[in-house]
Amino acid sequence: MKTLKLIQSDSYLRPYASAIEGRYNYAIAQEKKLTGGQKLSEWANGHMFFGLHKVGKKWVLREWAPNATAIYLIGDCNDWKKNEDYRLQPTDNGVWEITLAEKMLKHEQLYKLLVEWQGGSGERIPSYARRVVQDPQTKLFSAQVWAPAGDKITKTTKIKGYKRRKAGDPLFIYECHIGMSSEEEKVNSYDEFRRDVLPRIAKLGYNCLQIMAIQEHPYYGSFGYHVSNYFAPSSRFGTPDDLKWLIKQAHKHKIAVVMDLVHSHFVANLNEGLNELDGSDHQYSPSGSAGNHPYWGSKLFDYSKPEVVNFLLSNIRYWIEEFHFDGFRFDAIKYIYFGDTQASAEFWEWYMSELKAYKPDIYCVGECWSGEAEILVYYGAMNCFNFAMSGAEGQAANAAKGQSLAAFVKYIESYQDKVQRANPEGIPMQFLSNHDQDRIGGAFATASNMKMAANLYLLAPGSSFIYYGEEIGMISKGGNNSDPAKRIAMKWEAKNIYEGHCYLPPENTPVDETSYHYPSVAEQEADANSILNYYKTAMELRNRFPSIARGK
């Protein structure tokens, strides 16, 4: 066998040639097992095959459920009763299928699958369902037929002349949540965000949105990180078409849109998600305790199964092709192979190589909440958040509170050098706080300290991620470091009410004036010396001088 170029070019690796070539050959064999030797665009097409589709004047529904003994479609179409006319038939490799006349299903009808297996049965939502809604009375979720008459949004979502930014371009990425974007005590909608919030974000100078909680999730308080339905935009905020219009309008403002994507674990709920969909505990996850996430009570994916990897990569294609997302923020990337950093990193390198071959301009960032050494391991696959920069005791905050600026500059230079040694095309992903951390505004005694911290990280090399509210110095509710306190509603206007919430009743967490130590956006816009205007000035500088972001 021909020696790998990697080994030929590096004499220090030659003593380990046998081990390196063994791992390389294993990786090639696994890739062929997963892909059948095809390109991603040829094989990761589960979203086109599975789920409910209108084909001509018929409906076709397919589901992968290898442990099932029978499957029935139940719903509004048959009064939620088991009916032989709606029985799916088994085909090959655990796939079930049914073809129905056009009149047998109608737009907005609710439906589920009644799945039977040896010794039991249960109602399940199809794994590729594209629309899932919650009953306001029973709180139960169901799939919904979504085929509005005359829908042309998919064909017109692309903006003529809109060009995705290159990875090295200066990005100001605004981390936001649709539901939390209103001051009112309600869950905000895609339409309201597009109409009321997006123009403000554009005016403030951001050129990229990172939107959390898009994929459907049963528990609102999870902030969208316990996903149940991977192909369904959350119906709490509106319809799939509403989301498409939001993205279209963002692109009109020349704002890229990055989606928070959770491919490292899924919700353990039986009634809503993938867990035990066919009655077994090992369909989408490893069997037994190996399939359980030990920290979050969720389920881990089984990445050794071609069907699971196809599901996940098809999921990415779906969001790109159907909604025109520009990229993804991947959650908890170190938990692919729990406790095995090297195996997880190798998975992501392969995963990203498939994505980039399919979409060379895709923008991706990974969350590895860990120390510098482990974060740098994942740079072979994608850029990752720099957690050492963030938090009340992070590099930027400490320097802003009086520690050595020379030491901070030395750290920045050293970190950028390490990133580029890990990946010559890598760039640091800088941030002060995110949805899992106490809001950074509470870490400083004065607005001047807050401005200094902003200056240090916004003008450092790399892309800057700004968690909504940071730009006006919002603090966690009453200094409380709980999740609801970190995820309060944005304060746009100068009002005497302090409303908004993360958790819905009965777990409603009201917000009061202690959450808004500094004035609202409207008030700060009118104050030339405000924190907000300081952020705007820093962003203008970076946009005017791209060399700042590139560090050279």
Side-chain angles (χ1 to χ4, degrees), residues 461-475:
S463 287
S464 300
F465 285 74
I466 300 169
Y467 181 42
Y468 79 88
E470 174 194 317
E471 73 274 32
I472 60 170
M474 275 170 56
I475 65 175

Side-chain angles (χ1 to χ4, degrees), residues 420-431:
Q420 293 185 340
R421 278 192 280 125
N423 183 345
E425 296 181 357
I427 54 176
M429 299 283 109
Q430 315 288 17
F431 71 107

Side-chain angles (χ1 to χ4, degrees), residues 257-331:
V257 186
V258 171
M259 175 182 175
D260 231 325
L261 207 60
V262 186
H263 279 188
S264 53
H265 64 113
F266 59 95
V267 75
N269 299 28
L270 298 179
N271 294 329
E272 292 92 11
L274 301 173
N275 192 21
E276 298 185 23
L277 189 146
D278 68 354
S280 71
D281 73 342
H282 54 270
Q283 183 183 359
Y284 283 91
S285 59
S287 181
S289 60
N292 299 329
H293 196 298
Y295 300 152
W296 301 328
S298 52
K299 302 293 292 186
L300 298 168
F301 283 105
D302 185 348
Y303 303 97
S304 69
K305 290 185 177 180
E307 295 88 352
V308 173
V309 175
N310 193 307
F311 174 87
L312 294 172
L313 286 172
S314 296
N315 188 236
I316 290 176
R317 282 193 62 189
Y318 167 75
W319 291 109
I320 292 173
E321 294 169 4
E322 189 75 10
F323 293 86
H324 302 290
F325 278 99
D326 297 281
F328 303 95
R329 178 263 192 196
F330 288 103
D331 184 62

Side-chain angles (χ1 to χ4, degrees), residues 64-236:
W64 176 60
N67 189 57
T69 56
I71 301 179
Y72 296 86
L73 174 65
I74 59 172
D76 294 337
C77 57
N78 54 21
D79 202 25
W80 295 91
K81 294 178 181 177
K82 182 175 171 180
N83 185 320
E84 290 298 318
D85 291 340
Y86 290 85
R87 180 171 182 155
L88 280 69
Q89 298 301 317
T91 59
D92 299 321
N93 302 315
V95 176
W96 297 75
E97 178 181 285
I98 188 172
T99 301
L100 298 169
E102 185 177 29
K103 65 181 181 181
M104 297 178 77
L105 287 176
K106 296 178 181 178
H107 175 57
E108 294 188 325
Q109 283 187 326
L110 304 180
Y111 68 98
K112 289 184 180 181
L113 298 177
L114 175 60
V115 182
E116 298 180 353
W117 54 83
Q118 192 68 37
S121 65
E123 293 183 3
R124 299 289 189 264
I125 294 175
S127 57
Y128 284 79
R130 297 189 178 195
R131 170 78 169 160
V132 175
V133 297
Q134 185 178 31
D135 185 285
Q137 276 74 48
T138 67
K139 306 303 179 184
L140 296 176
F141 286 84
S142 300
Q144 186 179 49
V145 178
W146 193 254
D151 175 28
K152 296 182 180 179
I153 293 176
T154 302
K155 296 179 181 178
T156 59
T157 301
K158 281 190 175 180
I159 298 297
K160 187 175 181 180
Y162 172 71
K163 293 182 180 180
R164 287 183 171 86
R165 295 175 181 271
K166 297 177 182 178
D169 285 347
L171 287 179
F172 281 101
I173 302 162
Y174 193 65
E175 184 186 14
C176 59
H177 185 289
I178 300 297
M180 305 299 139
S181 61
S182 170
E183 289 178 296
E184 299 177 41
E185 194 168 357
K186 67 175 186 178
V187 177
N188 217 25
S189 69
Y190 298 124
D191 269 349
E192 289 167 318
F193 187 97
R194 172 182 55 79
R195 185 186 67 231
D196 303 328
V197 179
L198 185 60
R200 286 170 157 165
I201 291 172
K203 181 181 176 183
L204 291 171
Y206 299 102
N207 54 29
C208 184
L209 287 178
Q210 176 200 322
I211 308 181
M212 296 175 277
I214 292 295
Q215 295 171 300
E216 191 60 85
H217 46 288
Y219 183 39
Y220 187 53
S222 75
F223 231 47
Y225 290 103
H226 281 226
V227 175
S228 52
N229 311 107
Y230 276 76
F231 293 81
S234 181
S235 58
R236 288 183 178 89

